Amino acid sequence: MSKKDTFPFLEIHRALPREVPVPIRVLDYKEIHGDFANGDAGDQAARCIDCGNPYCSWGCPLHNRIPQWLKLVRDGRIEDAATLMHETNPLPEICGRICPQDRLCEGDCTLETGFDAVTIGAIERWTTDEALRRGWRPKLNAQPTGKRVAVVGAGPAGLAVADGLAHAGVQAEVFDRYEEIGGLLTFGIPPFKLDKAIVRTRREVLEGMGVRFRLNTEIGRDVAFSTLIKEYDAVFVGTGAYTFVDGKLPNQEAPGVLPALPFLIANARRAGAQVPRRPWTAESGRRILGLSQAANALPDIVGKRVVVLGGGDTAMDCVRTAIRMDADSVTCVYRRDEANMPGSRREVKYARDEGVQFLFNRQPLEIVTDANGVRGVRVVETALVNDGSGRAKPQVIAGSEQVLDADVVILAFGFRASPPDWCEEFGIARDASGKLIVGANGSLPLQTSHPKVFAGGDAVRGADLVVRAVYDGREAAKSILQKLGVARALFA
Amino acid sequence: MTQRKNFGLYDASFEHDSCGFGLIANVDGRASDWLVDQAFRALAKMSHRGGINADGVTGDGCGILLYRPDAWLRALAREAGIEVGPLFAAGLMFLERDAASAVTQRSVLERCLREEGLQPRGWRDVPVNESACGPLGAATRPCIAQVFVDAGDGADEAAFERALFRARRRARTQRVAAGDDIFYPVSLSAATIVYKAMAAPGRLREVFPDLQRADLAACAATFHQRFSTNTLPNWRLAQPFRLLAHNGEINTIRANRTWVESRASKWKSPLVDLSDLGPLVSTAGSDSQSLDNMLEVLLAGGIDLLAAMRILIPPAWSAQDNLDEDLAAFHEYYALHTEPWDGPAGLVMCDARYAACSLDRNGLRPARWARSDDGHLIVASEAGLWDVADQRIVAKGQLGPGEMLAVDLHEHALLDATAIDRINAGRAPFKRWLRDGVAYLESHLIDPGLAAEPFAPELLARYQKQFALTREERDIVLKALAEDEAEATGSMGDDTPIAVMSRQSRPLYEYFRQAFAQVTNPPIDPLRERLVMSLVTQIGQEGNVFDLSPENARQLMLTSPVLSQRKLRQVLALDEYVHRQRKFDLYFDERTGLKSALEQLCRRVEEAVRDGVVLVLLSDRYSSPGLLPIHALLATGAVHAHLLRLNLRSDCNLLVETGTMRDAHHCACLIGFGATAVYPYLAYQTLFDMNRRGELKGRAGEAPSEIGRSYRRGIRKGLLKILSKMGISSIAGYRGAGLFEILGLHHEVVELCFPGTPSRIGGATFADIENEYRAQLAAARDPHYALPAGGLMKALPDGEFHMYNPAVVGALQAAVRTGDMALYRQYADAVNSRAPAALRDLLALQPQTASLDVDEVEAPSAILKRFDSAGMSLGALSPEAHEALAIAMNRLGARSNSGEGGEDPARYGTERMSKIKQVASGRFGVTPTYLVNAEVLQIKIAQGAKPGEGGQLPGHKVNALIARLRYAKPGIGLISPPPHHDIYSIEDLAQLIFDLREVNPTALISVKLVAHAGVGTIAAGVVKAGADLITISGHDGGTGASPWSSIKYAGVPWELGLAETHQTLLRNGLRERVILQTDGGLKTGLDVVKAALLGADSFGFGTAPMVALGCKYLRICHLNSCATGIATQNDILRRKHFLGAPEMVENFFRFVAADVRGILASLGAKSLAEIVGRTGLLRQMEGVTDKQRELDLSPLLAASALVPNAAGCGSAPQTHTELAARIAADTAESVANGKSGCFHYAITNIDRAIGARLAGAISRRHGADGMAHAPLTLQFRGSAGQSFGAWNAAGMQLILHGEANDGVGKGMAGGRIVVRPSEHARFASQDTAIVGNTCLYGATGGEFFAAGRAGERFGVRNSGALAVIEGVGDHGCEYMTGGTVVVLGVSGLNFGAGMTGGFAYVLDLERQFVDRYNHELVDIHRISLEGMENHLQHLRALLRSHVDHTASAWGARLLADFRDVLHKFWLVKPKAASLDALTDELRRAA
């Protein structure tokens, strides 16, 4: 890469790795982006102008050292770049794939105005994949401390905690009720966004660092929480947000109406060709998801008309999954306009490319059923009103009701934290919506009201971005280490 | 130097002075009243070189030294009833005006005289006419008495002088010890007597009736006129002193004073006992006074004047390859035991034997001489001072850099520089002594690859963490040093908190700000004028300077003070020192405490040195578990100060082995506080590691093999730059001088470790520093702790706080784009409520009256008038951004600043015009048209981001537009010199102000300074020099490109500089004469109000309006790739990506004005004027960190007074030249009607800047083309004053018969200037100086012919003028970018340094030129008969024009012999320009 040229951002255009053409990619669940060729990643990295105010780093919840590792990638120092990425982020290849970069680092990139942002996410992904492929692994300097910490939940927050602890010589044991690590990374996010092999590789990396995973093990059922409290020096709770937001639509119990998560999880299992250790049953579905409708999970939707209600990233996952399940038509219904969608614009684009219809400014009123179940969704048009209190509010336009035909309706209104039952017993405080309270007066960041128990991720925040869960995990590890008196700071 | 606590920020020790001087002597020793009379007349003709005090009458002081006016003295004694013997001395004493005290003072002197075996014969009161002094002078006048003393029986004169010297010194020392600061012996000698007074130079004789007597005759006299930044009159500091008078500034004064004292005990002369005289040189008072003291000591000890002067102020001998070896050995021998007194210096002196004149190595002060046929010699700052007819002058000349000229008053001989050098070289076999005694270590043979003794990775990591190395420092600072052999470059300003305000732990070095020269002394260009600089460092024990012996030459020489590992080992292994060295580990037990640890260290070193240890190695290389490190800088400073106090420092050398030093600033701190040499092992180890891991690139992109050497080169370059900022040329004059300002250390730290260095606001204590060590050490032991990212340069999320962080930038941009005041409020609240980061953040408003309704406050338009945009050049900015800024400021009724780089004439008279035009050191595009199209002319002395440094616009940024405006060629780089080459001292600044006022009488003249300790005093001098407006910039000012270390380590916050300036001006009654402006990171109305309360009338904004235009603080301005199209010349970026509009800037300023109004209302003030200087409305808040809580900002708030009528501004009293007025009247009609004409005038040296006023009038009336169509011819006869033909415009032909002083044709844009000797002249023109220094500086066009030689720096920054001259001094054609210069005679050294355009023909009859031109950027070619016909023709045509215009006999002879002399001409051209291209150009022009 030529170093003297100070204008690569003018000469080289932003280019994401090539997308697999739509007709081909909807045939399976593989990731839709190919890899950079080596030179291309370097060229793209060279577009970074290394600002005095690195807006990207500021925009990243993890404050990743983006310009610094872009420079290393530009110079072909892939392993060094991977090392630097891992300093702030234990899961860079995952964030590189699923972060809404257009709302975070790339959205804040100086070049975004007028030039198009540096392809930060794609470079992060490519670099970590490539480094791991070349055999690079995180380097551990610490001597074992003999301390042990239990981590409940192998989602992004839990993995990040485990990583931080391992670096400090603390034994992390990660419990998860599922048969594979990753939590929503594995079971919620469709494989075309995150290939499950990536998560498996990360599991190997973590195990190589000494992290132990105890899967298919549910705390409170297979192992008592009190055992953790007793046997470990600290406990981290990262149980996520699985309780779906109830839209309380009339007839939502009808056959053919599905909440998003069971739909995605079931599909992930199928599409990922994972063989469940325990057979998938209505019973287990109910247990996991806590919803009676789950019994009807994964109806055959080949040739059916699918309507997805909601405008977040989960909704996007549902519509794109439905397309791949050969639905006849897939429509996304959202009550605000496109500009006000919470989901990543990039995902909306992919969904459109893949044939999803969008209906904005429509608020669902009820599920229309007949004897066979769902027939459609009654919606009403809305107009956005800005009352100055924050986000624009949809207001119903009287007399604009209509019924959208549908054979399957997927509810993707969002999720709330699902705190385990044992919280109460151990005096772990929650707020009204069930989220665990951390960092209250006098306690360490991410420490719960039980001094030995820490928590983070969706269990604390409610449904939120993976990158914020990773942040919580990273910071929780620091707090735990501080609490254990192991080290001053890991990522100062 | 003592700190004046609780008295604000003014400190008398900051004062400077400068001036005019002269010497008249009769070589044959014939005394005459005519000679004395000439001395007074000459003095009177230099009034313009002096300063006038606040009363408008009192001068800064002047005086005269007379050599053996025996008859007159005897008559004075006789008339007073005093009998004197055959050998007697007379002297003047300043005494207490109270009679009783005066009696005591007299008796002390008498007693001391008797104790030396002398006989005081009597006193007489010297009559004084007070009314001639002016009110201030009269009020401060001491009683003046004259004493007569007889030598003891049989004493010879030399012994008599020594006894007088001892008596005088002892009497003064005793009186000072008794608290008497009035008693002052003006002089007391058998050979000379000095009369001096605080009076205007023309009135000195009136002050002293003694001097009006007819019997006053002498055969030699020196005289001096003073210009001081000091405005509190002090008769003592008038000159001449007892021996010398000095024009200039000793930049190394602090080192000189320090080292003289440290050696005092070693200096023993068999002739005189120096041990009981008190300090050998004064540590207060002026630098010149100390120099005089020093010279006296050397003379008393037995060294004669010719040697003593060359020892104190040597020429640049070390870099001159062709210097006579014996002479070089003389200089080198003495350099082993003394360091040069360095800085601009023109000196005249007179002792019992010689009257002499001497110049500093850089020739920074003018000294012109002339000799008449009756044996008289005059040397003075200017030519044309005496009344001798042309036909009686037999020779004239100018002293060159480092030259000396003397009259031997015993032997009646005139000694030129060569004769003096011969005498000195022959004093001893210096060459043999040095050959036998001096050892050298050759650095380049020693481990350049750093491969020796690498650290294991874990050890390296531990040390890196312990010494708080950051990745930023590693990857940017160290990397650039090793890869590029230069410091890393950055842009924008430093928007981080100063170290003491930071909430992070910052390296100790960051509490130190480098001192830099502004106005009173010029910085040096360390690149282009490298030849005057030296880093040579010696190791060994110093000897007795009076003891001329080979023993004194036993020394080890190092080429620089930065050691490599092997070099250190080699030094330590030398036989001579192997048993005379000791290592001191810089670690301590924390139970001891840091302060006690330092004190213990000092005592241990002291014991060692007393035991005979010569090499003291302070090392933090060997840590022990459980111990805390002592910072190497604390240790070095404390040990150095301790040894100095005990006079032991010269017995040893301090070697510092440290992990703390990484960059050149760190190195400068260590050496500046006393280290002899340093070994930065951690920097080497880190680089070695980086190289091993392939992180460094060599020149061809490969791994470099000589990183150690490259790193050292980079550090050396940086060190030279730091020295050059202070105008110091050798490291010996910098070592131990403590040339820093400390920002934020507690006085307990300063007193123990850095005594004497200004530190004005308190700060971190030993406990605070110790706590930071502890944290770092803990981090070092933590294996999980990675190197911190840094964040001082870039705003990293987990790094240091930045005041322009992304949130602030975003909020400001959102506000100005929408014009929504509510959004501005959010921005301003965010800025105002940040955690304290700037000093002003610790100052809160405290209203003292009820608030007003906003409507009662003055209108926003009145406030907007006080806002300027800071100078940013077109070149740094894109034309679009530059114009948007101008439009916005004009629409607001405020002013924008053109910056340094010219302005497109198409913008004149439109709303795109910059009302402030900047005049900076490069003088790019500074033409008379540019100057008349301005409301304010700003002389940029220094800029906040890099005070004391020059700049460079790389070729790739010079596009067609920039080239046109700067009179350059596209693609060719442009250099701005560090100093203004017409400002080497305060009276030079007065001259430039005068020049500018002449060309544009309606413009305000503004001077831009950078805040540092002493800026207030500089500002006082600037006011006295006639400025209307002064800008005090903070250290945080922005820049398009500057070395990082300059951005970070020079200058101080404007709060300090502004308050100091305001207080100093108030104290001196000068405040109402000037508008005071400040700039540096002003962001909100609150900033403006706080600045006003601290004393500002007006406010400059640089970065904020840029951000308003879309700047995102990318800090890549120096790369020309600014993605917002603001700081770039790239077409696409400018066209497609510049989204700024004037309205955004207007919004910003309107918001700020509204904000100011609101705050004024809350303070109960109706206008900004009401609160200027009202520091009572501010109070200091408690800080949020321990360090902040130790700060004491009360000195900033010391003076609370209302400034009367500040913004009105009347300028200083002007010496109006009557001649300029006559010319204006005579030519008015011709100019108005564009008619040609011819005019005749007589001219003298007091007629300055003649032509400038006319040039202004023509440019206003006729624009850039001037009156080329109808030329005006002005014939002059006589000696022209300075700046003859300045800003000459097209159509002006100035023909001068006679001679001219400095600055001829400065800024000439067109027309012609001819200077030729009078028809009666008897001298050969090619051997004779006809014009002075820095002629044609910044000329952009026109023609210049002179039949004679020019002084130093001819044609500097010429970008278009054609000149023919018969010889030039040193540094000819420096930084030239265009035009043609023909030199028909001898050229001095360093010709063509930094020359990137134009070309020159130089005649080289003596075959010296190859050694004299600067090889960096130019090459030279013989003009052959074949293939260079164009040049041949061109040169011949120029020669013919020269003869036609000047009637030069020399020119005619060359023309006649043209074919024979042709091959003795060199064509000098920039390497970047091909011979063919040049030829083509000539062909087209022909």
Side-chain angles (χ1 to χ4, degrees), chain B residues 12-178:
Chain B
S13 63
F14 296 142
E15 285 166 2
H16 303 270
D17 56 9
S18 224
C19 359
F21 68 91
L23 154 75
I24 297 183
N26 185 281
V27 178
D28 306 324
R30 267 184 287 114
S32 65
D33 56 346
W34 180 86
L35 183 144
V36 174
D37 198 45
Q38 284 300 310
F40 282 111
R41 283 166 180 262
L43 185 57
K45 285 185 183 172
M46 290 198 297
S47 298
H48 54 270
R49 300 187 82 94
I52 298 295
N53 276 292
D55 64 6
V57 183
T58 306
D60 284 342
C62 57
I64 188 163
L65 174 150
L66 298 160
Y67 181 78
R68 298 193 196 277
D70 276 12
W72 171 72
L73 285 172
R74 283 180 187 280
L76 289 176
R78 196 169 51 243
E79 287 164 28
I82 301 167
E83 274 183 49
V84 291
L87 181 55
F88 75 100
L92 243 51
M93 301 292 142
F94 288 161
L95 304 175
E96 196 80 66
R97 283 174 84 164
D98 161 54
S101 311
V103 167
T104 316
Q105 292 170 327
R106 288 180 183 204
S107 64
V108 169
L109 178 66
E110 287 178 28
R111 197 186 63 239
C112 289
L113 284 164
R114 289 203 183 89
E115 281 167 7
E116 299 300 325
L118 307 177
Q119 296 154 20
R121 304 300 304 195
W123 294 81
R124 71 179 272 272
D125 288 331
V126 176
V128 176
N129 171 14
E130 264 194 7
S131 64
C133 302
L136 274 174
T140 53
R141 178 176 75 80
C143 166
I144 303 172
Q146 193 169 26
V147 64
F148 290 88
V149 183
D150 267 357
D153 293 333
D156 70 352
E157 191 180 314
F160 184 35
E161 288 290 354
R162 284 193 292 271
L164 289 167
F165 161 75
R166 278 186 49 80
R168 193 156 49 64
R169 283 282 179 109
R170 287 180 57 231
R172 166 88 172 140
T173 306
Q174 287 173 22
R175 292 311 301 158
V176 169

Side-chain angles (χ1 to χ4, degrees), chain B residues 66-394:
Chain B
L66 298 160
Y67 181 78
R68 298 193 196 277
D70 276 12
W72 171 72
L73 285 172
R74 283 180 187 280
L76 289 176
R78 196 169 51 243
E79 287 164 28
I82 301 167
E83 274 183 49
V84 291
L87 181 55
F88 75 100
L92 243 51
M93 301 292 142
F94 288 161
L95 304 175
E96 196 80 66
R97 283 174 84 164
D98 161 54
S101 311
V103 167
T104 316
Q105 292 170 327
R106 288 180 183 204
S107 64
V108 169
L109 178 66
E110 287 178 28
R111 197 186 63 239
C112 289
L113 284 164
R114 289 203 183 89
E115 281 167 7
E116 299 300 325
L118 307 177
Q119 296 154 20
R121 304 300 304 195
W123 294 81
R124 71 179 272 272
D125 288 331
V126 176
V128 176
N129 171 14
E130 264 194 7
S131 64
C133 302
L136 274 174
T140 53
R141 178 176 75 80
C143 166
I144 303 172
Q146 193 169 26
V147 64
F148 290 88
V149 183
D150 267 357
D153 293 333
D156 70 352
E157 191 180 314
F160 184 35
E161 288 290 354
R162 284 193 292 271
L164 289 167
F165 161 75
R166 278 186 49 80
R168 193 156 49 64
R169 283 282 179 109
R170 287 180 57 231
R172 166 88 172 140
T173 306
Q174 287 173 22
R175 292 311 301 158
V176 169
D180 171 6
D181 202 33
I182 300 291
F183 174 77
Y184 178 81
V186 176
S187 72
L188 180 56
S189 158
T192 58
I193 187 161
V194 175
Y195 274 67
K196 63 188 189 183
M198 289 289 300
R203 309 188 72 180
L204 182 61
R205 236 176 166 169
E206 277 179 66
V207 175
F208 296 107
D210 285 358
L211 299 175
Q212 296 161 24
R213 293 168 58 113
D215 55 358
L216 175 57
C219 66
T222 67
F223 49 88
H224 186 271
Q225 147 74 38
R226 184 164 187 249
F227 189 141
S228 167
T229 58
N230 165 18
T231 46
L232 304 172
N234 189 338
W235 284 57
R236 245 192 355 255
L237 295 180
Q239 301 191 32
F241 294 107
R242 289 137 201 162
L243 291 166
L244 60 77
H246 170 214
N247 170 13
E249 177 89 10
I250 302 298
N251 299 330
T252 51
I253 186 67
R254 291 199 46 190
N256 299 132
R257 285 172 174 163
T258 302
W259 288 106
V260 166
E261 276 325 296
S262 86
R263 296 184 187 115
S265 60
K266 293 188 169 302
W267 283 13
K268 294 191 177 68
S269 164
L271 298 174
V272 62
D273 178 8
L274 299 171
S275 65
D276 59 345
L277 301 183
L280 291 184
V281 303
S282 64
T283 48
S286 69
D287 53 343
S288 315
Q289 191 180 17
S290 297
L291 179 60
D292 186 75
N293 294 156
M294 186 68 222
L295 182 60
E296 259 190 346
V297 168
L298 290 183
L299 296 191
I303 297 176
D304 90 346
L305 183 74
L306 302 183
M309 207 57 231
R310 304 304 267 169
I311 293 169
L312 294 178
I313 304 197
W317 55 273
S318 65
Q320 289 184 36
D321 304 332
N322 49 357
L323 200 66
D324 174 78
E325 286 178 37
D326 290 310
L327 181 62
F330 163 81
H331 288 300
E332 188 169 349
Y333 172 83
Y334 279 104
L336 297 176
H337 308 286
T338 57
E339 71 294 315
W341 291 58
D342 194 6
L347 293 147
V348 288
M349 65 217 88
C350 186
D351 73 344
R353 169 96 187 250
Y354 300 102
C357 176
S358 177
L359 225 55
D360 69 88
R361 63 174 67 193
N362 222 344
L364 295 169
R365 301 313 303 138
R368 301 280 290 268
W369 58 266
R371 205 148 49 82
S372 67
D373 57 3
D374 60 350
H376 282 102
L377 172 79
I378 181 170
V379 196
S381 299
E382 295 192 3
L385 293 182
W386 69 356
D387 309 320
V388 176
D390 292 333
Q391 47 270 58
R392 289 188 42 217
I393 306 280
V394 290

Side-chain angles (χ1 to χ4, degrees), chain B residues 828-1129:
Chain B
D829 289 346
V831 170
N832 295 342
S833 62
R834 67 188 172 206
L839 286 182
R840 59 185 172 281
D841 297 348
L842 291 180
L843 297 175
L845 299 182
Q846 53 173 14
Q848 290 181 335
T849 44
S851 61
L852 298 175
D853 191 278
V854 152
D855 296 333
E856 294 179 68
V857 179
E858 65 180 333
S861 59
I863 296 168
L864 286 166
K865 277 196 177 69
R866 294 171 179 265
F867 294 163
D868 290 348
S869 69
M872 289 173 276
S873 73
L874 203 162
L877 300 190
S878 65
E880 292 77 11
H882 200 265
E883 291 184 19
L885 197 55
I887 292 169
M889 298 314 278
N890 286 331
R891 288 183 189 164
L892 291 167
R895 292 179 177 131
S896 68
N897 187 324
S898 65
E900 174 188 26
E903 186 166 282
D904 194 335
R907 290 168 63 179
Y908 297 160
T910 72
E911 71 166 0
R912 296 181 295 141
M913 182 178 97
S914 303
K915 286 186 185 156
I916 306 172
K917 293 283 194 297
Q918 201 171 59
V919 178
S921 65
R923 301 289 157 92
F924 295 108
V926 177
T927 65
T929 354
Y930 172 85
L931 294 171
V932 297
N933 280 288
E935 291 181 7
V936 177
L937 294 174
Q938 181 180 61
I939 301 171
K940 181 180 85 177
I941 296 291
Q943 91 184 58
K946 47 176 172 180
E949 281 178 64
Q952 198 156 0
L953 191 66
H956 65 86
K957 272 195 172 179
V958 184
N959 65 16
L961 174 70
I962 303 233
R964 175 164 66 84
L965 299 184
R966 297 194 181 201
Y967 294 80
K969 285 217 169 59
I972 305 273
L974 298 172
I975 300 168
S976 295
H980 286 252
H981 277 296
D982 53 357
I983 309 178
Y984 296 143
S985 71
I986 189 83
E987 80 268 13
D988 286 352
L989 174 70
Q991 179 61 40
L992 179 58
I993 290 175
F994 183 87
D995 298 341
L996 293 172
R997 221 184 268 298
E998 282 292 302
V999 71
N1000 186 351
T1002 58
L1004 295 177
I1005 311 289
S1006 149
V1007 174
K1008 176 169 176 165
L1009 304 172
V1010 171
H1012 72 119
V1015 71
T1017 318
I1018 302 275
V1022 170
V1023 176
K1024 288 164 73 177
D1028 306 305
L1029 199 156
I1030 291 178
T1031 299
I1032 304 290
S1033 285
H1035 68 102
D1036 44 0
T1039 177
S1042 169
W1044 260 112
S1045 69
S1046 305
I1047 296 176
K1048 275 169 63 181
Y1049 301 132
V1052 303
W1054 59 255
E1055 290 92 328
L1056 275 165
L1058 172 66
E1060 182 195 339
T1061 303
H1062 178 68
Q1063 290 166 16
T1064 308
L1065 294 180
L1066 268 183
R1067 203 177 139 84
N1068 290 306
L1070 296 168
R1071 179 62 183 86
E1072 66 272 19
R1073 273 167 52 175
V1074 73
I1075 301 169
L1076 201 51
Q1077 182 181 72
T1078 202
D1079 69 22
L1082 300 180
K1083 291 181 189 65
T1084 67
L1086 186 61
D1087 286 343
V1088 169
V1089 168
K1090 286 180 181 173
L1093 293 171
L1094 289 172
D1097 304 303
S1098 166
F1099 313 87
F1101 294 78
T1103 306
M1106 286 298 99
V1107 172
L1109 276 177
C1111 162
K1112 293 178 79 174
Y1113 224 84
L1114 306 180
R1115 287 192 191 275
I1116 52 172
C1117 321
H1118 55 295
L1119 300 177
N1120 197 24
S1121 56
C1122 174
T1124 59
I1126 292 175
T1128 178
Q1129 302 305 323

Side-chain angles (χ1 to χ4, degrees), chain B residues 1185-1416:
Chain B
T1185 65
D1186 289 343
K1187 290 185 287 189
Q1188 287 180 7
R1189 277 187 282 270
E1190 293 290 345
L1191 286 173
D1192 173 14
L1193 300 184
S1194 61
L1196 276 74
L1197 306 180
S1200 185
L1202 203 56
V1203 181
N1205 188 29
C1209 183
S1211 52
Q1214 290 270 327
T1215 37
H1216 282 293
T1217 51
E1218 189 229 339
L1219 179 58
R1222 254 172 54 216
I1223 296 172
D1226 295 349
T1227 55
E1229 199 198 321
S1230 299
V1231 172
N1233 303 325
K1235 281 196 338 225
S1236 62
C1238 189
F1239 308 86
H1240 294 264
Y1241 304 95
I1243 192 168
T1244 71
N1245 78 301
I1246 63 167
D1247 299 317
R1248 296 177 297 139
I1250 291 302
R1253 198 180 299 187
L1254 180 58
I1258 290 176
S1259 302
R1260 254 186 305 276
R1261 177 78 181 77
H1262 301 284
D1265 294 337
M1267 290 179 62
H1269 56 288
L1272 293 179
T1273 303
L1274 281 69
Q1275 299 262 3
F1276 298 92
R1277 192 165 287 278
S1279 296
Q1282 296 169 78
S1283 304
F1284 179 73
W1287 329 117
N1288 207 54
M1292 286 173 65
Q1293 304 198 38
L1294 307 188
I1295 297 161
L1296 171 64
H1297 294 257
E1299 62 189 339
N1301 278 292
D1302 293 354
V1304 177
K1306 164 195 298 191
M1308 173 164 76
R1312 180 182 303 132
I1313 298 173
V1314 176
V1315 188
R1316 48 186 290 188
S1318 125
E1319 302 77 358
H1320 312 295
R1322 290 159 60 183
F1323 45 76
S1325 63
Q1326 73 274 21
D1327 297 333
T1328 305
I1330 193 160
V1331 294
N1333 293 335
T1334 53
C1335 296
L1336 296 192
Y1337 177 32
T1340 56
E1343 295 178 351
F1344 174 79
F1345 298 96
R1349 294 179 52 80
E1352 320 315 320
R1353 298 186 166 82
F1354 181 82
V1356 172
R1357 277 290 309 114
N1358 175 23
S1359 56
L1362 164 77
V1364 185
I1365 184 94
E1366 298 185 357
V1368 295
D1370 291 357
H1371 314 294
C1373 299
E1374 199 173 7
Y1375 315 107
M1376 189 160 112
T1377 57
T1380 308
V1381 171
V1382 183
V1383 183
L1384 303 177
V1386 177
S1387 158
L1389 301 174
N1390 205 31
F1391 190 93
M1395 173 173 162
T1396 58
F1399 61 94
Y1401 301 111
V1402 181
L1403 179 63
D1404 183 22
L1405 292 176
E1406 309 288 331
R1407 297 181 174 277
Q1408 302 159 317
F1409 191 67
V1410 174
D1411 291 333
R1412 293 192 167 190
Y1413 81 97
N1414 184 309
H1415 296 234
E1416 187 196 356

Side-chain angles (χ1 to χ4, degrees), chain A residues 50 52-53 55 58 87, chain B residues 471 693 794-795 804 1112 1114:
Chain A
D50 198 13
N53 274 348
Y55 294 88
W58 288 85
E87 267 183 25
Chain B
R471 287 177 215 212
R693 291 192 286 118
K794 310 215 156 185
Y804 273 114
K1112 293 178 79 174
L1114 306 180

